Amino acid sequence: AQKVTQAQTEISVVEKEDVTLDCVYETRDTTYYLFWYKQPPSGELVFLIRRNSFDEQNEISGRYSWNFQKSTSSFNFTITASQVVDSAVYFCALSPNAGNNRKLIWGLGTSLAVNP
Amino acid sequence: DTAVSQTPKYLVTQMGNDKSIKCEQNLGHDTMYWYKQDSKKFLKIMFSYNNKELIINETVPNRFSPKSPDKAHLNLHINSLELGDSAVYFCASSQDPRGAYGYTFGSGTRLTVV
């Protein structure tokens, strides 16, 4: 079965705190892609990162970092020194790459509130 | 310069009406999608077209009908609107049918049926 689990429904932090959003996925494919998207209160869906299953190197982009661990089937997202503008719903998604799959598998999202 | 544009952004209509949402992408992508996002933010795929061919047709009421006149356009027509159709509808496009490079989304159409 292909599945993405974001166990944290809502997270609330105070500005400047670090926060980690968890994403656990299930797939039997050996080749797949993982994604994070951000949906701010304005409503648009913004692509953040794409990760190939063969590339377990962690990624850092400014205050954002991603930890991909195949051993635990996790692709966690950390925001360092959070800011109010980080308040959004964050979605993790999986693109299996075998068989007849033709769609992303989405998590239910984690709503992050960063309070001043 | 907008990559994926959908219109209208807001749509308020009465039950029973028929309405359309239009989507256009200028990215040269082959695949386009319609997603429905409910009030709990759950993203559900409805349809996908690859080069004008319907490749995903999820279980949605047949009151919903997509149309792709060319690979840059994917419109959504909804007949006999019901209260439960109220949601945000997103158009998206991708380079390939698997979405292996991710999707580019439009800004969404907030449909309210009263």
Side-chain angles (χ1 to χ4, degrees):
Chain A
Q2 324 271 15
K3 189 177 177 183
V4 173
T5 301
Q6 295 180 254
Q8 305 146 307
T9 307
E10 294 179 354
I11 301 175
S12 181
V13 300
V14 177
E15 222 174 1
K16 298 184 183 172
E17 282 185 37
D18 298 347
V19 57
T20 296
L21 283 60
D22 297 333
C23 174
V24 174
Y25 61 93
E26 294 176 33
T27 181
R28 283 181 286 187
D29 297 339
T30 54
T31 303
Y32 51 89
Y33 301 89
L34 295 162
F35 304 87
W36 277 94
Y37 282 82
K38 174 182 180 179
Q39 187 173 37
S42 51
E44 70 273 24
L45 281 153
V46 179
F47 169 87
L48 293 179
I49 190 171
R50 168 183 181 261
R51 174 61 71 207
N52 181 317
S53 58
F54 293 112
D55 181 2
E56 285 195 73
Q57 217 169 4
N58 291 333
E59 175 111 3
I60 298 175
S61 176
R63 296 183 297 105
Y64 293 175
S65 61
W66 291 268
N67 185 339
F68 175 33
Q69 293 202 347
K70 287 177 80 168
S71 60
T72 55
S73 296
S74 65
F75 186 41
N76 296 337
F77 173 30
T78 297
I79 302 174
T80 303
S82 60
Q83 298 177 2
V84 172
V85 293
D86 297 326
S87 297
V89 179
Y90 291 87
F91 292 96
C92 182
L94 164 71
S95 173
N97 205 35
N100 291 323
N101 174 72
R102 289 178 170 184
K103 58 187 178 182
L104 292 189
I105 313 298
W106 293 87
L108 296 181
T110 296
S111 178
L112 173 65
V114 181
N115 303 299
Chain B
D1 278 281
T2 305
V4 179
S5 59
Q6 54 181 109
T7 55
K9 192 168 174 62
Y10 300 96
L11 189 50
V12 181
T13 187
Q14 290 190 326
M15 279 176 57
N17 284 349
D18 303 340
K19 290 293 179 186
S20 292
I21 307 172
K22 295 187 175 182
C23 180
E24 175 181 4
Q25 54 98 1
N26 62 5
L27 297 167
H29 288 170
D30 287 339
T31 312
M32 295 185 73
Y33 311 81
W34 278 112
Y35 270 82
K36 179 180 180 181
Q37 186 176 44
D38 62 22
S39 57
K40 294 185 178 177
K41 299 292 189 179
F42 179 60
L43 283 162
K44 178 177 164 48
I45 191 165
M46 301 172 70
F47 303 103
S48 175
Y49 273 75
N50 185 55
N51 269 322
K52 301 194 298 176
E53 177 193 353
L54 181 66
I55 59 171
I56 294 177
N57 187 355
E58 293 290 290
T59 308
V60 298
N62 57 15
R63 298 181 294 102
F64 290 80
S65 54
K67 277 199 172 56
S68 182
D70 55 59
K71 75 172 194 176
H73 295 83
L74 180 61
N75 303 322
L76 182 66
H77 189 75
I78 315 170
N79 288 328
S80 304
L81 278 155
E82 301 178 356
L83 292 176
D85 297 332
S86 296
V88 179
Y89 292 85
F90 284 100
C91 177
S93 71
S94 67
Q95 292 182 35
D96 69 303
R98 297 185 185 278
Y101 295 92
Y103 295 170
T104 302
F105 283 89
S107 56
T109 296
R110 182 174 293 277
L111 172 64
T112 304
V113 182
V114 298

